[in-house]
Amino acid sequence: MADKPTVVEDSHRESLVAFLEFAVEAVGVAQSQEGDLVTLEFNHREHPAWPRPYQVRVSVATDSADLPRRVVPATEGIAWLWKLAQLERGALLARPASQPEAVHEITRALFEAYQVDGGQMHLAGCRINEVPFLRVTELATDDPAQVVHRFYNAEMQPVSDDEVASLGLAEVVPLGNHPTSFTRSAVHVLVNQIEEAMPGVVAATVVIAKRAEGAIQFEIGEQCAQVSFNDWTRSLSAPPFRCAASGRETFHLAALEDGRIVAAEAIAECEHTGTRVLDSELVTCTSTGKRVDPEITSRCAVSDSVLLTDEMATCKTCGQQVSPAVLDAGSCQACRELPLARATDELIAPLLERYPRLQQYGKFRAGQCGGVLRVMAHGWWRRLLLAVPSDESQPMHLAMRQGLAGGWEQVPEADWPQLLGQPSDGATE
């Protein structure tokens, strides 16, 4: 008889003879065949617990009527084998024919799915778990030359046809010498459920399916990332890597300049420096139109536009870094368009109280823009402009303009007391 998987077709049916062949191999008895007559026997010295007869002659002919003396039909041959199987291992044991059994059998298929630029990958732990299913075999009621298999999980819940196909339960081979964690007593527990629920069973096979659980670790430089998997070894496929930075799922991984491992498809080059950054993090410089790394940009305090830091200019009036587009004669738009203000306006009153010498100026303009309060004090000959952070009272910049044609010049901080007076807590000079 050929050593090949038992393929169950037609609603999990197969011929009685085909099932006999499976049972012979699963039990491990010696066999010889002449025509339609198969002789099965075992060495009783090797199996002292197995009862007589030590030899059985079985007819595998389609028509089993008028059998020669001491020749039994296939049903009795199966019954003899089933008894031996119960004594030896508790039941017939099998595994799906196309099922990967060990870690090394799944590793290559998993790794081949990925591309890691400038790095490597390896398993970060992998465990193969055995899951038993029960194949209950009965004689077909409409054809005595066939058997019918029904499949159940360990809780005796029927297994759907889709799951039978997915797990390969309908195409099994004897477990043979493959290692298993299932003990004889554990098999007995499973089989006893069958015998109590189905007294007419011809035989039962414990089909051991396997699940793989673990993780794949990707390493590029000093950084690492992982994807986890947990599936049947027969249907296991490489899970995609989900890039936390971009939200993309991918099988192609690469690293950014800052070391982060991301989806390679999400990487773009800064058009100014050539550095590799996330495409979604690039910003457009309003001055050059280039898409660039935000780390080399600044935001204009007046227009709120983003520019390359190298493209920014300094307003001569308030000292702020701004876009050249908002400058005119060296002054930014915010400084040029300050609205008129009164000394009593709550926007500037605290500043005038703190620096009493400002009160000698008869006209004021003030406004907030980009987190900075700008206060311009007008005298008949001199103008001052203070730039103060909106949430502070200490100026960060002071500029002065004298005469009608003079330009704005920055005042050194050492000269501020001369123009503003010493800061006070409210007293006036």
Side-chain angles (χ1 to χ4, degrees), residues 89 95 101 130 175-182 208 210:
R89 306 183 76 173
R95 59 185 177 87
E101 295 291 313
E130 295 181 322
L175 188 64
N177 293 324
H178 280 259
T180 177
S181 62
F182 279 92
I208 299 176
K210 292 191 174 184

Side-chain angles (χ1 to χ4, degrees), residues 338-355 358-359 361 363-368 373-377 386 388:
L338 285 175
L340 289 171
R342 295 178 180 178
T344 55
D345 287 350
E346 64 178 35
L347 196 62
I348 65 172
L351 196 64
L352 298 183
E353 184 177 359
R354 182 171 175 79
Y355 297 100
L358 289 175
Q359 297 177 17
Y361 293 86
K363 184 179 178 181
F364 298 95
R365 292 179 178 273
Q368 287 183 317
L373 170 64
R374 294 168 174 81
V375 178
M376 186 178 292
L386 289 86
V388 184

Side-chain angles (χ1 to χ4, degrees), residues 95-152:
R95 59 185 177 87
S98 56
Q99 171 179 271
E101 295 291 313
V103 172
H104 71 271
E105 295 180 60
I106 63 173
T107 302
R108 181 177 179 181
L110 289 174
F111 287 179
E112 285 180 344
Y114 301 100
Q115 178 180 341
V116 183
D117 294 350
Q120 60 185 357
M121 72 189 93
H122 61 85
L123 285 179
C126 182
R127 182 173 66 238
I128 302 294
N129 300 314
E130 295 181 322
V131 181
F133 289 87
L134 300 168
R135 186 181 73 169
V136 178
T137 304
E138 303 170 289
L139 290 175
T141 56
D142 57 348
D143 186 351
Q146 287 194 324
V147 294
V148 176
H149 299 302
R150 308 185 194 282
F151 296 89
Y152 302 87

